[in-house]
Amino acid sequence: MSKRQIRLGAFVPGTSQHVAGWRHPQARPQDSHNLKYFIELAKTAERGLFDAYFLADVPVTVDPDTTPDLGLNGTFSAGLEPVSLFSALAAVTEHIGFIATASTTYEAPYNLARKFASLDHLSEGRAAWNVVTTSGSVVSKNYGINDALLPKERYERADEFIEVAQKLWDSWEDDAFEYNKQTGQFFTGEKLHPPRFKGKHLAVHGALNIARPPQGYPVIVQAGQSEDGRELAAKYAEVIFTAQQKLEDAQAFYRDVKSRLIKYGRHADDLKIMPGVSIFVAQTEAEARAKYDELNAYIHPTLGLNLLKQLGGFTEDLSQFDLDQTLPEHLTQAQNGASRQQLILEIARKNNFTIRQLYQWVASARGHWTLIGTPEQIVDQLQAWFENEAADGFNILPPTTPASLDDFVDLVVPELQRRGLFRTAYEGKTLRENLGLKRPENQYVLEKRHTSQAS
Amino acid sequence: MSKRQIRLGAFVPGTSQHVAGWRHPQARPQDSHNLKYFIELAKTAERGLFDAYFLADVPVTVDPDTTPDLGLNGTFSAGLEPVSLFSALAAVTEHIGFIATASTTYEAPYNLARKFASLDHLSEGRAAWNVVTTSGSVVSKNYGINDALLPKERYERADEFIEVAQKLWDSWEDDAFEYNKQTGQFFTGEKLHPPRFKGKHLAVHGALNIARPPQGYPVIVQAGQSEDGRELAAKYAEVIFTAQQKLEDAQAFYRDVKSRLIKYGRHADDLKIMPGVSIFVAQTEAEARAKYDELNAYIHPTLGLNLLKQLGGFTEDLSQFDLDQTLPEHLTQAQNGASRQQLILEIARKNNFTIRQLYQWVASARGHWTLIGTPEQIVDQLQAWFENEAADGFNILPPTTPASLDDFVDLVVPELQRRGLFRTAYEGKTLRENLGLKRPENQYVLEKRHTSQAS
Ligand SMILES: Cc1cc2nc3c(=O)[nH]c(=O)nc-3n(C[C@H](O)[C@H](O)[C@H](O)COP(=O)(O)O)c2cc1C
Ligand SMILES: Cc1cc2nc3c(=O)[nH]c(=O)nc-3n(C[C@H](O)[C@H](O)[C@H](O)COP(=O)(O)O)c2cc1C
């Protein structure tokens, strides 16, 4: 068996991952709806031999009624739909996979299964679906639903959704289509399998109107950290995108999820855990730190304070205090007991951060692990996680697009390769082949085989 | 003003339009899920200066429980999803527009508006949405709905759907995004307009998460012939795809729909009526007829008889009769009074068709106008419809892909150009520009202007 190597996802929104990344001199927010720009980004990622390009998605945007800093917080306000963008990129790339996010709460299985099968055909086997359940009643109002499903129900629905999506992808056996010009037989009737699915939340009667995807199913990716999220991942996911800040936490998560696989008849290798990591890299540590400071200086104070207030769970208006002093005493006590608030207060205390430094830290990391340093320093860290049961790979979150993606490809990838931790050429043609995942068999073919063996 | 010219849509499924088109020696049904093949087709259509590539779509396929000739009737069994396919084609073409069919009955407005806006951005203004209401309770079962909406309700929902889709596309004014790196202002708050829509069937609260499409709205296309369908078209459609067999019927339809525009404050030029036409063309009439006969000979008798039975509304099994004799006497009387049945019986009588000839006629035309002849003969007919208030253009349905598309581009297009009926180069960059349609203003900008003029 070949040596275990790091898998890499490029999590690269057109407008940058860092809230102020778009203000970087090289950033091109004006190109955030421009295909040519995304072609450049995809080609850079492909040059860096990334397994996949990853796009998040939530069917909602900022709202005048609920966004206090309207106009400042634009990073995720608007953008291209992932499956259509990736379809376009499939036409002009050769190797890189495409992980598109789509919600089990706000789509119909028939439509979602169809579009992902389509992307898998268009890309000749490079599609992946990041299964999200999409929290929040704000989103549900965009679908005419007044009350969002409870988290529990969202995950129940997600479970049914993946089950029926897999049935839909199995509608046609791989060799169902004969295209026999001599006999006039277009397909073999016995190789067509409508799902006839009736669940608690979903029902689908007929077969999918597209041939089985080249990969069998697109790769199933999952992002969700709760108990229900982990269980769903253990049952179905082949890649997990997770937010982990510390080695020990990442290890605990890694072991917990991997240990859940057995009861679903799965092997630890069937699931690749890939935490997100935001990287500021340069030839010297000072330069890397300067890149970090530069982006943070671009954070508009109004925006930074709002993010700090929101994520930290503060109730008072923070702009009344001197931003270059530490948090006033009465705010340094836990306010709502949430783990994120505790983390923020702990960071403030430990680093003796001023309010400005604190909001910069909050706004910059946004829940993800952040590394600042030389290529060697960065790779030391990645290697430690990779070799100590904390990660099978990483989703790289370049803080500013395109500069930090270029930096990663030009500086970090060679160092990973030098240490034998990363490929020097794509191994396979499909995303599954590159990730080292097997192609799932058609469930109806398996069934037939079992039935015929039993009789 | 420049001379009025014919608009052309290329209605080209990968597996051919004619039920047996895929059996033609040059047909490539095995490539029907292959992007490279569609790139060739799109480039041929672009070489022919077509306004748009048109794809139908219904979220359903053949079913073992209801398809008697399972395996033979494959033409529309499986294929790529139109918006993702067109997104890929957008990356490798320059001029041709893309008309994707999507259903108002089985999609959510937020998702549909997003993906069409996305396609319009990816193609830099070449997207169109063929609005269909999708008949049939068979489809609804794929969405967990047991009873399909009544036609009346489907059209009510469609009307609300287009209204709210337009509001979603207007969420952001054209110049809403400032991307001002100096001030940190990403967008102008006052230029964001969430729809806050509450209808009888649909509700959407928040703004769309994508910038306004380059064309304002994608071009709105409609295909539906009923009273409700015509009214919807008169209110919103900019192109109609219609099935008309005779000049007089086409003229009646044309005048009827155009006369309905006035009450919506619209001009006759704001709507292009484009009937479908299936064309068999060759340098001599005999050769063209041979092409027609060749395809018809490929129709499997079982399939042909089933189509004849179904479309003709017969209750008896037709395979018990001699296929090379005319219909037995007792079947030549009207059975259900439907207009399609009457048309079929009339054709049989007039041409003294044998049963085989009759099913060939039924299976081949499938409700669309069919022309067989030399380029001059074909263009004579098209010109007659175009110059006599029956059509503003045509959706060309090549019976077999790719051969009949090549034939049209190589033989008919030059003849159209010779007579000055068709462009010799694309006029504009966007589909609207090529079709001669205006770019719609943002409704909220219009509102502001009216309010400020009134005060
Ligand atoms: C790393 C990460 C990325 C996520 N990306 C998305 C996304 O792009 N779109 C979305 O709707 N939800 C996204 N989510 C939210 C999850 O789908 C889920 O709704 C949320 O995490 C709540 O579920 P949980 O309690 O299991 O974590 C993401 C979650 C995580 C942890
Ligand atoms: C020329 C033509 C093309 C059509 N194409 C589609 C299609 O691709 N998908 C679909 O679901 N319905 C399609 N329809 C059906 C219409 O959307 C509509 O459901 C049907 O015509 C019934 O409505 P009507 O009674 O107004 O004609 C088409 C109809 C016509 C006339």
Side-chain angles (χ1 to χ4, degrees):
Chain A
M1 217 188 93
S2 59
K3 190 168 167 266
R4 178 173 169 261
Q5 288 194 317
I6 286 176
R7 316 294 171 187
L8 290 181
F11 190 91
V12 186
T15 47
S16 300
Q17 163 67 14
H18 185 287
V19 279
W22 65 275
R23 296 179 68 182
H24 185 278
Q26 283 170 49
R28 291 157 58 184
Q30 73 283 5
D31 285 336
S32 63
H33 290 69
N34 182 339
L35 175 57
K36 292 191 182 66
Y37 180 48
F38 282 96
I39 294 175
E40 288 177 37
L41 297 174
K43 294 209 161 166
T44 303
E46 203 166 43
R47 178 165 64 81
L49 303 174
F50 274 89
D51 290 84
Y53 195 138
F54 196 134
L55 284 173
D57 205 55
V58 195
V60 71
T61 185
V62 290
D63 195 287
D65 288 356
T66 50
T67 313
D69 42 34
L70 200 68
L72 298 174
N73 192 352
T75 307
F76 296 103
S77 56
L80 297 162
E81 189 274 324
V83 176
S84 49
L85 172 53
F86 283 147
S87 297
L89 294 179
V92 292
T93 54
E94 288 278 324
H95 297 286
I96 195 163
F98 300 111
I99 308 178
T101 298
S103 172
T104 53
T105 307
Y106 301 108
E107 300 220 30
Y110 203 93
N111 297 345
L112 185 142
R114 178 91 179 295
K115 74 179 177 185
F116 277 93
S118 214
L119 178 60
D120 206 44
H121 282 287
L122 291 168
S123 62
E124 296 182 351
R126 296 185 279 144
W129 170 29
N130 179 33
V131 181
V132 295
T133 58
T134 318
S135 40
S137 59
V138 187
V139 181
S140 63
K141 286 199 268 177
N142 291 344
Y143 293 83
I145 307 164
N146 260 326
D147 299 296
L149 289 175
L150 298 173
K152 186 100 209 151
E153 288 175 312
R154 284 208 310 273
Y155 274 105
E156 266 178 22
R157 185 181 149 107
D159 190 328
E160 280 186 13
F161 200 116
I162 303 177
E163 186 184 341
V164 74
Q166 292 182 337
K167 284 187 196 299
L168 285 165
W169 291 319
D170 285 340
S171 292
W172 302 90
E173 294 182 23
D174 290 318
D175 58 354
F177 293 96
E178 295 178 52
Y179 308 124
N180 189 328
K181 290 187 183 181
Q182 269 60 52
T183 63
Q185 202 73 30
F186 195 90
F187 64 88
T188 314
E190 304 79 52
K191 297 189 176 180
L192 165 61
H193 307 279
R196 306 291 190 247
F197 181 85
K198 270 205 170 87
K200 183 176 156 191
H201 298 272
L202 299 164
V204 181
H205 188 77
L208 196 63
N209 55 350
I210 184 166
R212 192 161 193 256
Q215 295 187 106
Y217 312 149
V219 174
I220 305 291
V221 182
Q222 204 269 352
Q225 318 245 53
S226 64
E227 174 61 27
D228 287 336
R230 291 173 190 213
E231 207 55 40
L232 188 75
K235 190 165 172 189
Y236 295 109
E238 302 172 281
V239 170
I240 291 190
F241 177 29
T242 171
Q244 304 294 336
Q245 301 258 8
K246 293 188 227 160
L247 178 61
E248 311 82 69
D249 294 347
Q251 287 172 322
F253 180 82
Y254 187 97
R255 290 180 190 135
D256 174 67
V257 176
K258 294 259 176 171
S259 72
R260 293 173 194 240
L261 292 171
I262 306 162
K263 69 166 165 295
Y264 297 107
R266 305 182 66 201
H267 186 273
D269 282 350
D270 297 342
L271 169 62
K272 312 295 175 192
I273 299 183
M274 298 171 61
V277 53
S278 177
I279 293 178
F280 296 86
V281 62
Q283 293 296 7
T284 67
E285 196 181 327
E287 275 177 271
R289 169 90 25 209
K291 287 184 179 183
Y292 178 73
D293 293 338
E294 181 190 4
L295 274 205
N296 283 346
Y298 290 133
I299 301 170
H300 197 290
T302 309
L303 179 60
L305 289 172
N306 282 333
L307 276 171
L308 177 58
K309 186 177 166 184
Q310 186 193 326
L311 300 178
F314 298 106
T315 47
E316 270 176 84
D317 176 11
L318 300 174
S319 68
Q320 60 186 305
F321 308 115
D322 183 344
L323 301 188
D324 296 311
Q325 298 291 323
T326 55
L327 275 176
E329 186 63 26
H330 73 283
L331 290 183
T332 59
Q333 312 306 322
Q335 314 232 325
N336 63 12
S339 64
R340 190 153 56 182
Q341 186 188 62
Q342 269 156 25
L343 178 73
I344 291 172
L345 293 176
E346 190 186 312
I347 291 284
R349 197 163 37 237
K350 212 168 66 183
N351 298 283
N352 201 29
F353 273 165
T354 65
I355 297 181
R356 192 187 306 278
Q357 287 169 322
L358 188 60
Y359 80 61
Q360 288 180 345
W361 181 85
V362 166
S364 160
R366 282 243 295 289
H368 285 285
W369 189 32
T370 302
L371 292 176
I372 306 165
T374 65
E376 295 71 28
Q377 290 172 323
I378 304 280
V379 174
D380 285 348
Q381 292 285 316
L382 299 179
Q383 184 166 9
W385 282 42
F386 177 64
E387 291 178 348
N388 290 286
E389 300 199 298
D392 297 311
F394 303 93
N395 279 303
I396 306 303
L397 318 170
T400 177
T401 311
S404 333
L405 177 64
D406 292 338
D407 285 351
F408 185 87
V409 169
D410 295 333
L411 301 174
V412 182
V413 167
E415 180 62 22
L416 286 168
Q417 289 169 326
R418 213 182 50 75
R419 300 193 197 179
L421 291 167
F422 190 59
R423 65 170 63 89
T424 52
Y426 284 101
E427 298 86 13
K429 267 194 63 69
T430 69
L431 178 56
R432 284 187 180 278
E433 287 165 5
N434 287 322
L435 287 172
L437 293 168
K438 49 179 182 282
R439 183 178 189 274
E441 275 207 77
N442 187 309
Q443 60 191 290
Y444 301 101
V445 175
L446 272 178
E447 240 172 55
K448 277 193 220 176
R449 196 178 311 139
H450 288 158
T451 315
S452 73
Q453 280 167 355
S455 62
Chain B
M1 220 189 91
S2 58
K3 187 166 170 270
R4 178 173 169 260
Q5 288 194 318
I6 285 178
R7 315 295 171 188
L8 290 181
F11 190 92
V12 186
T15 48
S16 300
Q17 163 67 14
H18 185 287
V19 279
W22 65 275
R23 295 180 71 181
H24 186 278
Q26 282 169 50
R28 291 157 58 184
Q30 72 283 5
D31 286 336
S32 62
H33 290 70
N34 182 339
L35 174 57
K36 292 191 183 65
Y37 180 47
F38 281 97
I39 294 175
E40 288 177 37
L41 298 174
K43 293 207 163 166
T44 303
E46 203 168 43
R47 177 165 65 81
L49 304 174
F50 274 88
D51 291 84
Y53 195 138
F54 195 134
L55 283 173
D57 205 55
V58 195
V60 72
T61 185
V62 290
D63 195 287
D65 288 357
T66 50
T67 314
D69 42 33
L70 200 68
L72 298 174
N73 193 350
T75 308
F76 295 105
S77 56
L80 298 161
E81 189 275 325
V83 176
S84 48
L85 172 53
F86 284 148
S87 296
L89 294 179
V92 291
T93 54
E94 288 279 324
H95 298 285
I96 195 162
F98 300 112
I99 308 178
T101 298
S103 171
T104 53
T105 307
Y106 301 107
E107 299 219 31
Y110 203 93
N111 297 345
L112 185 141
R114 178 92 179 295
K115 74 179 177 185
F116 277 92
S118 213
L119 178 60
D120 207 44
H121 282 288
L122 290 168
S123 62
E124 296 181 352
R126 297 184 278 144
W129 169 29
N130 179 32
V131 181
V132 295
T133 57
T134 318
S135 40
S137 60
V138 187
V139 182
S140 63
K141 286 199 268 177
N142 292 344
Y143 293 84
I145 308 163
N146 260 324
D147 300 296
L149 289 175
L150 297 172
K152 186 100 210 151
E153 288 175 311
R154 285 207 310 274
Y155 273 104
E156 267 179 23
R157 184 180 150 109
D159 190 330
E160 281 187 12
F161 201 116
I162 304 176
E163 185 184 342
V164 72
Q166 293 182 337
K167 283 188 196 298
L168 284 165
W169 290 319
D170 285 339
S171 292
W172 301 90
E173 294 181 23
D174 289 318
D175 59 353
F177 293 96
E178 296 179 51
Y179 307 124
N180 190 326
K181 291 186 183 181
Q182 270 60 54
T183 62
Q185 203 73 30
F186 195 90
F187 64 88
T188 314
E190 303 80 54
K191 298 189 175 179
L192 166 61
H193 306 281
R196 306 288 190 248
F197 181 85
K198 271 203 169 86
K200 182 175 157 193
H201 297 272
L202 299 165
V204 181
H205 187 77
L208 197 62
N209 54 350
I210 185 166
R212 191 161 193 258
Q215 294 187 106
Y217 311 149
V219 174
I220 304 292
V221 182
Q222 205 269 351
Q225 318 243 53
S226 63
E227 174 61 28
D228 287 336
R230 291 174 189 212
E231 206 56 38
L232 189 76
K235 189 164 170 190
Y236 295 110
E238 302 171 280
V239 170
I240 291 190
F241 177 29
T242 172
Q244 303 293 338
Q245 301 256 9
K246 293 189 227 163
L247 178 62
E248 311 81 68
D249 294 347
Q251 286 173 322
F253 180 82
Y254 188 98
R255 291 181 191 135
D256 174 67
V257 176
K258 294 258 177 172
S259 72
R260 293 173 194 240
L261 292 171
I262 306 160
K263 69 167 165 296
Y264 298 106
R266 304 182 66 200
H267 186 272
D269 282 349
D270 297 342
L271 170 62
K272 312 294 174 193
I273 298 184
M274 296 170 63
V277 53
S278 177
I279 293 178
F280 296 85
V281 62
Q283 292 296 7
T284 68
E285 197 182 329
E287 277 178 88
R289 170 94 19 212
K291 288 183 179 183
Y292 178 73
D293 292 339
E294 180 191 5
L295 274 204
N296 284 346
Y298 291 133
I299 302 172
H300 196 290
T302 310
L303 179 60
L305 289 173
N306 281 334
L307 276 170
L308 176 58
K309 186 178 166 182
Q310 187 192 324
L311 300 177
F314 298 107
T315 48
E316 269 178 82
D317 177 11
L318 300 175
S319 67
Q320 60 186 305
F321 308 115
D322 183 344
L323 302 187
D324 296 313
Q325 298 291 324
T326 55
L327 274 176
E329 187 63 26
H330 74 283
L331 290 182
T332 59
Q333 311 307 321
Q335 314 233 326
N336 63 12
S339 62
R340 191 154 52 183
Q341 186 188 61
Q342 269 156 26
L343 178 72
I344 290 171
L345 293 176
E346 190 186 311
I347 291 285
R349 197 164 35 240
K350 214 169 61 185
N351 298 283
N352 201 30
F353 273 165
T354 65
I355 298 182
R356 194 188 305 279
Q357 288 170 322
L358 189 59
Y359 82 59
Q360 289 180 345
W361 181 85
V362 166
S364 160
R366 283 243 293 288
H368 285 285
W369 190 32
T370 303
L371 292 176
I372 306 165
T374 64
E376 295 71 28
Q377 290 171 322
I378 304 281
V379 174
D380 285 349
Q381 292 286 316
L382 299 180
Q383 184 166 10
W385 282 40
F386 177 64
E387 291 178 348
N388 291 287
E389 299 198 300
D392 297 311
F394 303 94
N395 278 304
I396 306 303
L397 318 170
T400 178
T401 311
S404 334
L405 177 64
D406 292 337
D407 286 351
F408 185 87
V409 169
D410 294 333
L411 300 175
V412 182
V413 167
E415 180 62 21
L416 285 167
Q417 289 170 328
R418 213 183 48 76
R419 300 193 196 178
L421 290 168
F422 190 58
R423 63 168 66 88
T424 51
Y426 284 102
E427 298 86 11
K429 266 193 64 66
T430 69
L431 178 58
R432 284 187 180 279
E433 286 165 6
N434 287 321
L435 287 172
L437 294 168
K438 50 178 180 282
R439 183 177 189 276
E441 275 207 78
N442 186 308
Q443 60 191 291
Y444 302 101
V445 175
L446 271 177
E447 239 172 53
K448 276 193 218 175
R449 196 179 312 137
H450 289 159
T451 316
S452 75
Q453 280 168 355
S455 66

